[in-house]
Amino acid sequence: MRTSFVFSEVVTGLRRNVTMTIAMILTTAISLFLLGVGLLVVNMVGKMQDDYLGKLEVAVMLTNDISVNDKDCTQQPCSSLRSQLETTSGVETVVYENRDKGFERFKKVFESQPELAKLARPEAIPAMFRVKLEDAERSDVIVQAFTGKAGVKKVDDQREDLDRLFGFLNGVRDAALALALLQAFAALMLISNTIQVSAFTRRTEVGIMRLVGATRWYTQLPFLIEAVVAGVIGAVASIGLLVVTKMFLLNRVLGELFQANIIPEVSMVEILFLSPILVGVAIAISALTGYVTLRLYVRL
């Protein structure tokens, strides 16, 4: 097999159908970009779950009279509430945080936002018990047992807030993957149509090659390589889009959340690790679609 001839045919095919080739590359790039976004979100949610579930607490916020008059939780009903929490099944630790300590923690959490810290006052921060559970999934036990008790203003289950955040991120993931599937279908149709058009425009040359003894595989190979080349270029473009999105969108919009460790940062290493997966998917889809198209719709 003459390799130079095969590759010259590939270049010729890409040049003859340049508009369809560009459309195929762009569609492939967008579908793989959306697939990459979905996979990055999956990885982000996984890291957040591992990180946050180990830190989740239930905050039992106390009424204003306790916050003002019982800084050490030595009086009733505060001391009684502490004893009940400590003896509740599944509770790992109970930490009492008075108003002053709560205000200091508030300033530390929002130290990157000094304007908000200046507006806040200690009187707005209630005393509370910070309860860590052996199993964060059983936080509803504390909520049900202590909501409405004397001295309790509110029971704040952090898992509910985390579930809402995970729900939003999972929604972004599902939307990205659904759009990726839709774009992938469009890319498949473009690959198939491009191969058919390319084969039709070169039907005379291919017919002559078959007459002089060229095998069917030899005449089909250039069309397969055309599809794979376009797919690889689309994959490279999708990786570039991921890098640009990380540098110029995520870092600007979510930079403060990354720095505060609220959301794990998407690193270049993750994109680099994802790159061969996207290229592999592009090669597999392009080659498979090209092969099926040639076997079913094109007679060479």
Side-chain angles (χ1 to χ4, degrees):
M1 180 183 296
R2 291 178 56 189
T3 304
S4 59
F5 173 78
V6 171
F7 282 100
S8 67
E9 286 294 298
V10 170
V11 173
T12 300
L14 293 173
R15 187 176 64 251
R16 282 183 178 177
N17 304 291
V18 63
T19 54
M20 292 190 69
T21 300
I22 292 174
M24 183 168 60
I25 290 172
L26 291 177
T27 307
T28 303
I30 293 172
S31 63
L32 291 174
F33 168 74
L34 292 171
L35 175 61
V37 170
L39 294 176
L40 288 174
V41 172
V42 169
N43 189 44
M44 178 188 292
V45 171
K47 290 194 294 185
M48 288 180 66
Q49 287 177 329
D50 293 340
D51 186 40
Y52 277 91
L53 287 178
K55 299 178 181 178
L56 278 184
E57 296 176 336
V58 177
V60 181
M61 300 180 183
L62 305 177
T63 55
N64 189 60
D65 58 328
I66 296 177
S67 301
V68 173
N69 302 315
D70 195 358
K71 291 188 176 182
D72 299 321
C73 195
T74 57
Q75 305 173 27
Q76 294 293 340
C78 186
S79 59
S80 176
L81 287 171
R82 175 188 278 180
S83 298
Q84 292 175 46
L85 283 168
E86 290 175 341
T87 56
T88 299
S89 175
V91 172
E92 185 175 326
T93 60
V94 178
V95 177
Y96 177 69
E97 185 175 83
N98 61 33
R99 174 170 282 172
D100 295 334
K101 290 182 179 178
F103 184 61
E104 290 300 319
R105 186 165 65 89
F106 174 87
K107 291 193 295 184
K108 184 176 181 181
V109 170
F110 293 97
E111 61 183 356
S112 61
Q113 299 175 277
E115 301 84 4
L116 183 61
K118 288 179 181 178
L119 292 174
R121 294 290 180 268
E123 295 77 15
I125 307 297
M128 69 179 72
F129 291 110
R130 292 166 53 198
V131 183
K132 186 174 181 181
L133 303 174
E134 295 174 357
D135 182 4
E137 299 292 334
R138 299 188 67 248
S139 56
D140 57 324
V141 173
I142 301 297
V143 175
Q144 294 173 7
F146 287 87
T147 298
K149 276 186 174 291
V152 176
K153 180 180 180 181
K154 178 185 177 183
V155 181
D156 185 16
D157 184 2
Q158 294 180 349
R159 187 171 63 88
E160 294 181 358
D161 299 327
L162 196 61
D163 287 343
R164 283 194 288 269
L165 176 60
F166 286 158
F168 170 75
L169 291 174
N170 287 332
V172 173
R173 175 204 63 195
D174 294 342
L177 292 178
L179 288 173
L181 287 175
L182 183 62
Q183 288 287 336
F185 178 75
L188 294 180
M189 295 300 99
L190 271 173
I191 292 171
S192 179
N193 289 336
T194 302
I195 290 175
Q196 292 182 60
V197 170
S198 181
F200 180 79
T201 58
R202 284 184 280 172
R203 63 191 183 281
T204 302
E205 297 97 309
V206 172
I208 294 172
M209 290 172 62
R210 292 301 301 274
L211 288 173
V212 297
T215 64
R216 187 174 182 180
W217 174 248
Y218 185 75
T219 58
Q220 288 180 347
L221 186 58
F223 302 101
L224 283 176
I225 295 177
E226 285 177 32
V228 171
V229 168
V232 170
I233 294 174
V236 172
S238 71
I239 295 166
L241 285 173
L242 288 174
V243 172
V244 170
T245 301
K246 183 258 187 301
M247 294 178 62
F248 297 102
L249 180 61
L250 293 183
N251 286 356
R252 292 183 180 181
V253 176
L254 302 177
E256 292 185 357
L257 297 179
F258 291 156
Q259 293 175 5
N261 292 322
I262 297 175
I263 297 178
E265 183 175 2
V266 176
S267 66
M268 287 296 184
V269 174
E270 290 177 286
I271 296 176
L272 182 64
F273 179 78
L274 188 61
S275 298
I277 297 176
L278 297 180
V279 173
V281 169
I283 292 173
I285 291 177
S286 301
L288 182 61
T289 304
Y291 178 77
V292 171
T293 300
L294 289 169
R295 298 297 295 181
L296 296 181
Y297 302 108
V298 180
R299 293 291 180 263
L300 299 177

